Amino acid sequence: MKVAVYNTKPWVECFFWQANANYGHEFVFIYERLSESSARLAKGCQAVCIFVNDNASESVLRRLKEMGVTMIALRCAGFNNVDLVAAEKLGFCVARVPAYSPYAVAEHTIGLILALNRRIHRANQRVREGNFSLDGLLGFDLHGTPVGIIGTGKIGQVVCQILGGFGCQLYAYDPYPNDAVKQLGAQYVSLDEMYAKCLILTLHCPLVPETRYMINADAISKMQPGVMLINTSRGALIDTRAVINGLKSARIGFLGLDVYEEEADLFFEDLSEQIIQDDVFARLLMFPNVIVTTHQGFFTIDAVQGIAETTLSNITAFEHGQCQNTLTSSGVHKPSASAAPAAYVE
Ligand code: NAI
């Protein structure tokens, strides 16, 4: 199948070519993000492959439809950037990569926790400048620390497993509690109880209307003074302005972000020669107790190989008229071809 791969980077090309040895698809690599203006570049392709910051809103989908595109192949797990209702109405097949190395994101989460707690980012800069003072570098033992894990799916579960190894006290919140997480020693509690108890909070739930801005001024006011907040899921789970106020008042003592609500105009690009126009983001960078990484949680060899493999397999399945990792308008997976009744039509 001829596939327009938007938001391409050199590593995307490399991993897609490697995985394609088993599939034989034809790629048109496009370095722009998918948007209303770049949709025309998919002319002649049956599928478009997009990533977290591409825009698949209704108007963009309509343009793709006019050009004969019938499939949207997400090379990521999250799908908040696709208007699934419009996609279904327009007859698109939307497939995603529901699982690929949850270890990648979980381990990055732990990296942020350790770096913030022991001020590794600051210590590294200081030593390079010949400053060997310990002032301001005092951390705390993770052993025994109460940690709240919000969302205990694939990534949240691995986070529980790793933090359990450190000897943390684990508290979890998820509308669908997971027995494996209970067996790791985590106790499911309400969000309010978690906010009142935990010194570290880490977000591992999807961005959906109910979770947008779940970390807002009200939630922050219920948290422990000096709490560490980590978000490696999706930027808009957090109201960034409220978090900045929390940092200024010291209610939030540490902030680790791998995602940012307005990241689409910043992340994945080298903007080092430009002036950052986003004043909220620029303010975040002023705090010494904040670490921001550039949506790199997924970025390990293992995870990227898994993403390329599943994406191309999803496209092949679609080519053969099968459902594989395809989403309905409500965001749930359609049954797989083998599980589908004979009359089931994709
Ligand atoms: P998953 O689908 O396995 O788990 C998500 C969990 O969140 C589920 O257990 C679900 O019940 C729970 N959940 C749903 N609504 C909730 C709510 N209101 N409050 C608390 N929990 C809720 O997803 P997975 O693979 O663990 O990924 C989690 C998130 O990580 C994704 O949604 C995505 O946004 C993010 N992600 C980030 C990456 C990065 O590079 N930084 C890469 C991959 C995923």
Side-chain angles (χ1 to χ4, degrees):
M1 185 170 272
K2 193 167 177 186
V3 187
V5 185
Y6 279 89
N7 215 338
T8 295
K9 302 286 171 212
W11 58 268
V12 174
E13 288 190 47
C14 171
F15 281 95
F16 268 49
W17 281 128
Q18 274 174 19
N20 200 39
N22 299 326
Y23 296 98
H25 294 297
E26 189 185 339
F27 300 128
V28 177
F29 289 111
I30 299 168
Y31 281 74
E32 282 178 59
R33 272 190 276 144
L34 175 62
S35 64
E36 278 199 51
S37 59
S38 67
R40 65 190 161 74
L41 301 173
K43 195 162 184 205
C45 297
Q46 293 84 53
V48 297
C49 176
I50 62 172
F51 198 43
V52 290
N53 291 327
D54 289 290
N55 169 5
S57 60
E58 178 164 6
S59 55
V60 175
L61 291 171
R62 282 190 185 284
R63 291 204 173 196
L64 292 174
K65 174 88 180 171
E66 284 159 20
M67 255 152 344
V69 174
T70 48
M71 181 192 197
I72 312 292
L74 285 154
R75 55 178 191 275
C76 53
F79 47 84
N80 52 287
N81 53 336
V82 182
D83 184 336
L84 290 175
V85 175
E88 193 161 282
K89 206 167 55 186
L90 293 166
F92 280 100
C93 164
V94 181
R96 66 166 183 151
V97 182
Y100 56 89
S101 177
Y103 306 103
V105 183
E107 289 168 12
H108 191 69
T109 302
I110 304 301
L112 289 173
I113 293 174
L114 290 171
L116 282 165
N117 175 22
R118 307 308 293 267
R119 280 78 163 173
I120 291 172
H121 55 305
R122 300 188 69 194
N124 179 52
Q125 274 172 1
R126 279 191 193 183
V127 168
R128 282 165 184 261
E129 288 167 9
N131 175 355
F132 303 103
S133 153
L134 289 178
D135 292 347
L137 302 183
L138 190 64
F140 56 89
D141 283 4
L142 284 180
H143 187 269
T145 296
V147 184
I149 297 102
I150 301 177
T152 52
K154 292 175 285 296
I155 295 170
Q157 183 177 329
V158 177
V159 168
C160 286
Q161 205 175 344
I162 301 173
L163 290 175
F166 277 104
C168 297
Q169 288 176 49
L170 303 177
Y171 294 94
Y173 173 78
D174 193 305
Y176 303 96
N178 172 345
D179 281 342
V181 165
K182 289 183 196 163
Q183 278 159 24
L184 290 167
Q187 187 188 338
Y188 279 94
V189 292
S190 68
L191 278 177
D192 281 359
E193 192 177 344
M194 180 183 282
Y195 294 153
K197 280 198 158 101
C198 292
L199 294 177
I200 301 176
L201 295 168
T202 181
L203 300 171
H204 302 289
C205 54
L207 176 62
V208 288
E210 308 83 71
T211 57
R212 181 172 290 273
Y213 280 6
M214 66 185 294
I215 304 298
N216 52 24
D218 179 50
I220 293 167
S221 71
K222 297 172 183 166
M223 294 177 191
Q224 284 276 345
V227 67
M228 180 187 294
L229 184 61
I230 306 288
N231 186 9
T232 58
S233 281
R234 284 292 180 270
L237 294 176
I238 283 182
D239 175 350
T240 312
R241 286 181 171 79
V243 164
I244 288 174
N245 288 334
L247 285 159
K248 285 163 77 175
S249 70
R251 170 71 66 167
I252 297 175
F254 311 81
L255 177 68
L257 299 181
D258 187 46
V259 286
Y260 168 59
E261 55 180 309
E262 301 295 339
E263 70 180 48
D265 291 334
L266 297 167
F267 286 11
F268 307 135
E269 305 302 330
D270 178 0
L271 305 179
S272 53
E273 300 294 323
Q274 297 182 26
I275 305 296
I276 290 180
Q277 299 297 323
D278 181 335
D279 292 346
V280 175
F281 187 74
R283 181 68 183 97
L284 273 183
L285 301 183
M286 300 299 294
F287 293 99
N289 50 351
V290 172
I291 296 182
V292 183
T293 54
T294 179
H295 206 139
Q296 66 180 78
F298 72 97
F299 201 48
T300 65
I301 293 171
D302 313 75
V304 179
Q305 277 172 344
I307 289 171
E309 177 65 33
T310 306
T311 305
L312 301 191
S313 166
N314 287 345
I315 295 169
T316 297
F318 173 65
E319 220 172 9
H320 296 151
Q322 293 167 353
C323 298
Q324 181 177 287
N325 300 320
T326 55
L327 293 161
T328 67
S329 55
S330 53
V332 295
H333 282 158
K334 284 184 180 176
S336 66
S338 55
Y344 186 84
V345 180
E346 168 102 354

